[in-house]
Amino acid sequence: MMSILSCMITLTYASSAMGFFTPQLESEKIEHSISLLNPNPDVINVGNVYAASVRLDGYEIFKVTATDGVKTESSENVLSPPKFARLRAQLVENELKGIVSNHLYGGIFNQGFQKETLTVTVAKRNGITVVIAYDDDKLRERQIVTVTEEDAEFYGYSVPQWAQKLAEIIKNALIRAQQERNVNYIIHQLLWSLIIIAVAIVFSWVILGLQRKLGKQRHLLMVQEPINELVLSPSDLSTIKEELSLAAQQSKFLKVREKQQEYRRKLDWIRLKRRLLQSGQAIIWILASLGILELFPWTRWIFGEFLEKPLIVVILFLGISVTIRLSSICIDRYIQILIEEASICPKIFNGIGVSQRRASRLSTVAEISKDLVFWIFIALGILLALDILEFPIKALLTGAGVLGIAISFVAQSLIKDLINGMQILRQDRYVIGDFIQVQETWGLVEGFSLTVTKIRGPQGRLTTVPNGDIRVVHNLTKEWARIDLYIKISHDADVDLAMKVMQQVAQQMQEDPQWRDCILEPTVLMGVNNLDHTGVEIQYWMKTKATQQWAVGREYRRRLKLAFDEKGIHLGMPQESRLMQNPSGMLKIRDNDIN
C-alpha cells in the first residue's frame, strides 16, 4: 500500500513537471479534459516566465505570460510576475465574455455576434501586435489580447505565427460559446442531464441493494460474535487462592481470542466491501454532478474554480479509507500465515509452548501494526490534501516543528507511554494472553497498544494501565515456570526417608502420562533448607510449563501427603516450652473459718 501511494505521488509530481516544460497548444476543437491526479494550476512557472490560463466557459483556450513586475498606475507598488500574468488573463477573459454576451443582440439565448460575418484577425496598434474581433453588424471592433514575444516563445512560435494561430483559436472558441447558448443546445443538454441522473439513480439503487445485503450479513455475523466470558475469582495477591485455574483460564482466553480474530477478519471483509460500495456510490454522484455541470457554459466554470480541489481531497480520503481497510486485512492474513506455520511446525519454534507464545506475540504485533498503518495513512492523506489545496507545506512543517517542541513539554506523559510501549514490545516483556502483575494490579493481558495495557483482573474488572507507569512487571506465564516447595517435617521424623519419599513421588508424577508433559526437567531436591522450632524444612524444585505450575504443585502436594501418611512421617508443628522457678515449691491455701 505504501509503494502504491508513493507511486501515485511520484506520478503526480512528474506529470506536473512534464507539463511545465512541454506546453501544449489547444486544438481547434478546444477539447477539455479533467485530470484528478494533476489539476492544472492557474499560473505555472517555466524558468523566469509565468503563464496564466485564459478560460472561456470553463475551457482553457490559451495562456498569457509575464516575466518582470509592472508598476501600477495608482501606486508605486510593483506587481509580481504571477499576479501580472493572472491580471492579463482576467482582462482577456473579460473581453471574450463581453463579446459572447453582447446585449445588443438581445440577451442570453440570442447570438452575441453574427457567426457568418465574425472576423478575428491580427492588427498593429502603436507598434504592438494585437488580436481584434468584429462582425459586419452590431459588434464593433474589440481588442482581445496583446501578443508578446514571451507569449510566442512559450509556445515555440514567432510573434506573427502565434498571433495568426491565436486568432484562429479565439474565433473557434467564440463560435463554440455561441452554439452552447442556443436554445436547441440547452434543451439537448437538459435531456442529457436527465439521462445522467437516471443512470446515477439506477447504479445507486443497485449499490444500495448490495449494501443492504452486506448489512444483513454483518448483522448475522455480529449475532455470532464470540464473547470472552473469562472472569477471575477474588484472590489475595499475596496468597493467590484461585491460581490453580489460571492455565485453564488462559487456554480458554486464547481459544476465544482466536475465534474473535477469525470473526474480525470476516467482519473486516464485509466492512471493506461496504466501504467500496459507499465510495463507489459517492463517486457515481460526484461524476454525475460534474457531468451535469460540464454540460452548460454557465456552470462549467464552477468545477475549475471551486470544486476541483475539494473533490480531489474527498476522493483521496475515500481511497485512503479503503486502503486502510485493505491493509488491515492484509496484515491479519500475513500474521495468520505466520501463526499457522508456527502451529504446523512446532519443532522449528522449539515446541508447542513456544509456538503458542509466538502466536500471541504475532497477534499483539498485528494490533499495533494496524494502528500504525492507520495513523501513517491519515498523516500522508493530510499532507497530500494540504498540497492539493496549495497550503505552504514547508512553512506548515516548520511551524509544526516548533509547535511539536511546545506540545512535547505538555504531552510528556503520552510520549513516555509511547516510548515505554515500544520497549515492552521490543523486549517481549509480555503479550496479549499473559498473566502479569503490575504493582497491585494482577490479571490477564486482554489488550495492548503502544500507550496502554488492558488487564482483566478479579471479578472481571478491566484495568487500563498507562505504559509509562509500568516500571516492574511480573510475568507469571512466560516460557516456563518453577515450583519452589518448602516442606516442613517434625523433628522426630526421619529426614532421609522423607527426602526419599519426596523424590519417589516426583518420579511417579514424571512417569504418569497425565503429568509428564507438564514437567519439563527432572526435579531437583535441594536438601534441608532450615531448622527452627516448627520442624525441619526441606527445599524442592520442579520446572514446569508456563501456567502449569499451580496444577502440578497441587497434585504433587496431594500425593506427597498420602505418601507421608503411609510412611508415618509427620509434618512439623510449632512447639512451646515454659521454665518455672522453684519447681518443688507448693502453693499453700489458707481457709478462713467462718463462724
Side-chain angles (χ1 to χ4, degrees):
M1 296 302 103
M2 294 289 291
S3 301
I4 293 173
L5 189 59
S6 301
C7 290
M8 291 173 62
I9 298 172
T10 304
L11 290 174
T12 300
Y13 285 101
S15 300
S16 301
M18 291 171 62
F20 289 164
F21 291 98
T22 57
Q24 297 180 354
L25 180 63
E26 297 293 332
S27 64
E28 293 183 358
K29 295 182 179 180
I30 316 175
E31 297 177 351
H32 178 65
S33 61
I34 300 173
S35 174
L36 293 179
L37 291 178
N38 183 25
N40 293 323
D42 290 336
V43 180
I44 63 174
N45 173 238
V46 181
N48 64 338
V49 177
Y50 292 84
S53 300
V54 175
R55 298 178 181 273
L56 179 61
D57 294 340
Y59 292 142
E60 180 183 327
I61 304 175
F62 57 92
K63 288 182 171 63
V64 292
T65 63
T67 53
D68 299 324
V70 179
K71 290 185 178 181
T72 62
E73 297 179 358
S74 59
S75 66
E76 295 297 326
N77 296 330
V78 177
L79 290 176
S80 62
K83 291 183 178 180
F84 183 58
R86 183 63 259 175
L87 177 61
R88 285 191 64 199
Q90 188 64 48
L91 294 175
V92 176
E93 289 176 358
N94 292 339
E95 287 295 327
L96 294 174
K97 292 176 183 177
I99 295 174
V100 173
S101 60
N102 185 2
H103 295 291
L104 296 176
Y105 282 89
I108 191 170
F109 289 110
N110 294 321
Q111 61 184 11
F113 53 86
Q114 284 189 351
K115 181 177 65 174
E116 295 77 8
T117 61
L118 176 64
T119 302
V120 181
T121 185
V122 180
K124 286 283 188 178
R125 296 291 185 270
N126 299 324
I128 299 175
T129 303
V130 296
V131 177
I132 60 175
Y134 58 90
D135 65 6
D136 292 341
D137 191 14
K138 297 179 180 180
L139 178 64
R140 61 182 178 84
E141 180 182 303
R142 301 189 66 155
Q143 180 177 319
I144 300 175
V145 61
T146 301
V147 182
T148 65
E149 294 183 1
E150 291 80 7
D151 294 339
E153 290 177 0
F154 184 80
Y155 286 98
Y157 289 93
S158 63
V159 173
Q161 290 175 336
W162 174 237
Q164 292 294 334
K165 193 69 178 178
L166 192 56
E168 183 180 357
I169 291 173
I170 293 174
K171 182 177 181 179
N172 291 331
L174 292 173
I175 293 174
R176 184 211 60 224
Q178 186 187 75
Q179 291 174 348
E180 289 184 349
R181 285 162 173 77
N182 185 273
V183 176
N184 294 330
Y185 178 86
I186 299 299
I187 295 174
H188 180 268
Q189 299 301 83
L190 286 174
L191 293 175
W192 271 110
S193 300
L194 295 176
I195 293 174
I196 291 174
I197 293 174
V199 172
I201 290 174
V202 170
F203 277 100
S204 182
W205 181 78
V206 173
I207 291 176
L208 186 61
L210 295 175
Q211 286 182 357
R212 289 176 178 174
K213 184 178 180 180
L214 288 175
K216 293 180 180 179
Q217 294 179 3
R218 178 174 174 268
H219 178 71
L220 293 175
L221 185 63
M222 292 182 69
V223 173
Q224 304 172 2
E225 179 182 3
I227 301 175
N228 197 331
E229 298 177 350
L230 176 63
V231 178
L232 301 179
S233 302
S235 59
D236 185 5
L237 295 178
S238 59
T239 57
I240 303 174
K241 298 178 181 179
E242 298 295 329
E243 61 186 4
L244 304 178
S245 63
L246 291 184
Q249 292 175 1
Q250 186 190 45
S251 177
K252 176 183 176 182
F253 172 79
L254 293 176
K255 289 180 181 178
V256 175
R257 178 171 174 78
E258 184 177 353
K259 294 180 181 179
Q260 287 177 338
Q261 290 174 341
E262 181 64 24
Y263 161 80
R264 288 170 185 168
R265 283 193 287 270
K266 294 179 181 178
L267 187 61
D268 284 341
W269 270 113
I270 293 177
R271 287 175 175 172
L272 175 62
K273 293 176 183 178
R274 293 191 68 190
R275 187 58 54 86
L276 286 172
L277 291 175
Q278 291 170 355
S279 301
Q281 193 172 34
I283 291 174
I284 285 173
W285 283 105
I286 288 174
L287 294 178
S289 301
L290 294 180
I292 293 173
L293 291 176
E294 284 287 311
L295 293 176
F296 303 98
W298 304 282
T299 59
R300 192 177 296 122
W301 62 273
I302 296 176
F303 174 76
E305 292 291 334
F306 299 107
L307 300 180
E308 183 176 11
K309 294 176 182 178
L311 285 178
I312 294 173
V313 172
V314 171
I315 294 175
L316 171 67
F317 277 100
L318 286 176
I320 287 177
S321 176
V322 172
T323 304
I324 289 173
R325 292 286 185 191
L326 185 60
S327 63
S328 297
I329 293 175
C330 293
I331 290 173
D332 284 335
R333 181 56 184 161
Y334 180 69
I335 294 297
Q336 183 63 24
I337 292 174
L338 296 180
I339 292 175
E340 290 175 357
E341 290 177 353
S343 60
I344 294 174
C345 304
K347 293 183 178 180
I348 298 177
F349 302 100
N350 301 322
I352 298 176
V354 177
S355 65
Q356 181 61 57
R357 174 74 184 179
R358 175 182 171 86
S360 299
R361 190 159 191 257
L362 288 173
S363 299
T364 306
V365 172
E367 296 296 327
I368 295 176
S369 299
K370 287 189 283 187
D371 289 340
L372 289 176
V373 167
F374 173 81
W375 289 112
I376 287 173
F377 274 103
I378 290 296
L380 287 176
I382 292 174
L383 290 177
L384 286 174
L386 292 176
D387 182 59
I388 292 171
L389 297 174
E390 297 183 358
F391 277 87
I393 296 181
K394 292 183 178 180
L396 188 64
L397 291 177
T398 302
V402 177
L403 182 62
I405 296 175
I407 294 176
S408 63
F409 288 100
V410 179
Q412 290 183 14
S413 59
L414 178 61
I415 297 173
K416 182 180 178 182
D417 293 339
L418 287 171
I419 294 175
N420 204 30
M422 289 186 287
Q423 290 295 326
I424 291 172
L425 183 64
R426 184 182 67 85
Q427 298 172 2
D428 193 21
R429 299 181 191 175
Y430 56 83
V431 295
I432 295 176
D434 280 346
F435 280 93
I436 65 172
Q437 180 176 346
V438 179
Q439 297 177 357
E440 299 299 322
T441 302
W442 181 89
L444 183 141
V445 179
E446 191 171 285
F448 176 77
S449 66
L450 291 180
T451 55
V452 296
T453 299
K454 296 180 180 179
I455 302 175
R456 181 74 67 176
Q459 300 178 345
R461 181 179 62 235
L462 183 64
T463 304
T464 301
V465 182
N467 291 336
D469 295 340
I470 298 177
R471 295 288 184 272
V472 178
V473 57
H474 303 282
N475 194 331
L476 307 179
T477 56
K478 184 177 181 181
E479 298 177 359
W480 57 271
R482 189 180 70 190
I483 303 172
D484 293 346
L485 291 176
Y486 297 91
I487 306 297
K488 285 189 177 182
I489 61 175
S490 61
H491 285 284
D492 57 354
D494 189 341
V495 176
D496 293 333
L497 178 60
M499 290 192 295
K500 183 178 180 181
V501 171
M502 293 176 68
Q503 192 70 26
Q504 289 175 352
V505 172
Q507 185 66 29
Q508 291 173 1
M509 283 195 66
Q510 286 181 298
E511 295 174 357
D512 191 334
Q514 183 180 356
W515 298 98
R516 63 187 176 189
D517 292 335
C518 299
I519 303 173
L520 298 179
E521 294 181 1
T523 55
V524 179
L525 183 62
M526 304 300 294
V528 177
N529 185 62
N530 191 20
L531 290 172
D532 56 19
H533 66 283
T534 60
V536 181
E537 185 180 75
I538 302 175
Q539 185 178 1
Y540 193 83
W541 283 357
M542 185 180 295
K543 188 175 181 180
T544 67
K545 286 184 177 180
T547 72
Q548 299 295 326
Q549 64 268 34
W550 301 293
V552 173
R554 178 182 62 180
E555 178 65 15
Y556 179 78
R557 292 185 184 94
R558 186 187 69 84
R559 295 189 181 197
L560 184 62
K561 178 64 171 63
L562 296 176
F564 277 178
D565 291 345
E566 183 181 351
K567 298 297 182 179
I569 301 173
H570 301 287
L571 298 178
M573 296 179 60
Q575 299 179 4
E576 183 177 349
S577 299
R578 292 185 180 182
L579 298 178
M580 299 179 61
Q581 295 181 356
N582 191 17
S584 60
M586 298 179 62
L587 294 176
K588 295 180 179 181
I589 301 176
R590 185 176 63 183
D591 296 332
N592 295 327
D593 294 335
I594 301 177
N595 297 327

